[in-house]
């Protein structure tokens, strides 16, 4: 298998990149991330059209840029806060897959 560096002492010999990709854990994390974050990406890409369709024509032309900017700013702040919380909780020995599940549930 493809390995970027030799495994340290005590590590299993079949723990390279391809062994990780073929594992069940990788498959579960990939499906969770794809399913959980896919909806958020779709929302972010189409928020301007959603606002235009939901509001009357005159109001949507004025509100659309403001709401798109507000959502983008909140998205940026939320990503930074989630990263900081993830780092802080991982120092307290909370497994990162649990944090991924919590973030996906919040989505």
């Amino acid at each position: 298998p493809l390995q970027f560096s030799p495994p340290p002492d005590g590590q299993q010999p079949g723990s390279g990149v391809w062994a990780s990709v073929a594992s069940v854990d990788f498959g579960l994390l990939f499906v969770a991330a794809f399913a959980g974050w896919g909806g958020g990406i779709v929302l972010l890409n189409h928020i301007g059209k959603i606002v235009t369709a939901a509001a009357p024509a005159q109001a949507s032309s004025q509100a659309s840029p403001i709401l798109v900017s507000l959502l983008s700013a909140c998205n940026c702040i939320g990503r930074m806060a989630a990263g900081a919380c993830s780092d802080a909780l991982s120092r307290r020995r909370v497994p990162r897959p649990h944090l991924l599940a919590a973030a996906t549930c919040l989505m």
Side-chain angles (χ1 to χ4, degrees):
L2 177 65
Q3 292 181 339
F4 293 116
S5 62
D9 293 335
Q11 194 175 16
Q12 298 176 353
S15 61
V17 173
W18 296 116
S20 297
V21 170
S23 71
V24 174
D25 291 337
F26 179 83
L28 289 173
L29 288 173
F30 181 77
V31 168
F34 186 77
W37 298 330
I41 298 295
V42 168
L43 175 69
L44 289 173
N45 285 337
H46 299 294
I47 192 67
K49 292 180 182 180
I50 293 170
V51 169
T52 303
Q58 191 175 19
S60 69
S61 65
Q62 297 170 352
S64 182
I66 295 169
L67 291 175
V68 169
S69 297
L70 181 64
L71 180 71
S72 297
C74 290
N75 182 33
C76 178
I77 292 168
R79 285 176 186 260
M80 289 189 294
C85 288
S86 174
D87 288 343
L89 289 174
S90 67
R91 286 187 201 117
R92 295 183 181 183
R93 304 280 184 202
V94 177
R96 288 203 188 255
H98 293 174
L99 300 173
L100 172 67
T104 303
C105 289
L106 286 174
M107 192 66 144

